Amino acid sequence: MLKYVNTGVVFQEIPDEVTLSINISRCPCHCPGCHSQYLWDDIGEPLTASCLDKLVSEYLDDITCVCFMGGDAEPEYVQAMAQVLHRQHPQVKVAWYSGRARVPYNINKTLFDYIKLGPYIKHLGSLKQPTTNQRIYKKGDDDTFTDITSRYWSK
C-alpha cells in the first residue's frame, strides 16, 4: 500500500492545471541530487480510497487535477488510485510523476491525463532545462500521448 507524506495545491507541476500534489514515500529510484530525499523513507499515512476521496473533496472547488508524485514502488496501486479518482471525481484530471524511464507494461496509461517520466539526472537538469532527460506527456482525445516538455522551458 502506498503512503503519502504531504499534499499541496500547486500551479507549476502540470501546465494549465491547478493541481493537488500528493507526495508518496518509499521511492525506490534514489536519484542522485533528488530534491525530495525524505520521500525515499517508509513514512507517512496509508493512501486508501477513502483517504484520497477526503483529500480531493477538501480541495474540489479549487483544483482541476490530482498528481501522484511518486509511487514507483507500487505502480499497480497508483493505477488503482487513478481508477478511484475517475469513479469518485470524474471532473478532475489525473497525473503521475514517475522516476522511471517508462510506464510499466502492466499499467493502463490511459487512466492518466498526464504522465511525467524519467529519473532526475543532475547534469541534464530538471524539466525546466531543454537538456533534461525527463519528459511530460499529455493524453489527447484519441488516448495518444504528446510530449509537452517544452512548455516548461523559458522562451
Side-chain angles (χ1 to χ4, degrees), residues 9-25:
V9 175
V10 296
F11 303 95
Q12 294 183 16
E13 297 295 348
I14 305 296
D16 305 321
E17 306 291 346
V18 178
T19 304
L20 176 62
S21 174
I22 301 174
N23 287 316
I24 298 171
S25 66

Side-chain angles (χ1 to χ4, degrees), residues 78-144:
V78 175
Q79 176 177 268
M81 292 296 99
Q83 290 170 316
V84 166
L85 283 173
H86 286 294
R87 218 174 22 256
Q88 295 178 342
H89 302 285
Q91 72 277 33
V92 174
K93 293 179 183 156
V94 182
W96 182 20
Y97 263 44
S98 170
R100 301 289 185 190
R102 291 181 177 78
V103 176
Y105 72 92
N106 59 334
I107 299 301
N108 179 359
K109 65 183 180 183
T110 64
L111 290 170
F112 301 93
D113 297 288
Y114 299 90
I115 299 175
K116 193 252 359 167
L117 293 170
Y120 174 71
I121 299 175
K122 187 175 183 176
H123 73 275
L124 296 177
S126 68
L127 281 175
K128 295 179 182 179
Q129 304 300 316
T131 55
T132 187
N133 64 297
Q134 297 178 316
R135 292 287 178 258
I136 186 162
Y137 301 92
K138 181 178 182 178
K139 183 176 75 172
D141 293 336
D142 60 356
D143 286 345
T144 61

Side-chain angles (χ1 to χ4, degrees), residues 67-78:
C67 184
F68 298 103
M69 303 292 285
D72 291 304
E74 296 183 66
E76 296 87 359
Y77 202 87
V78 175

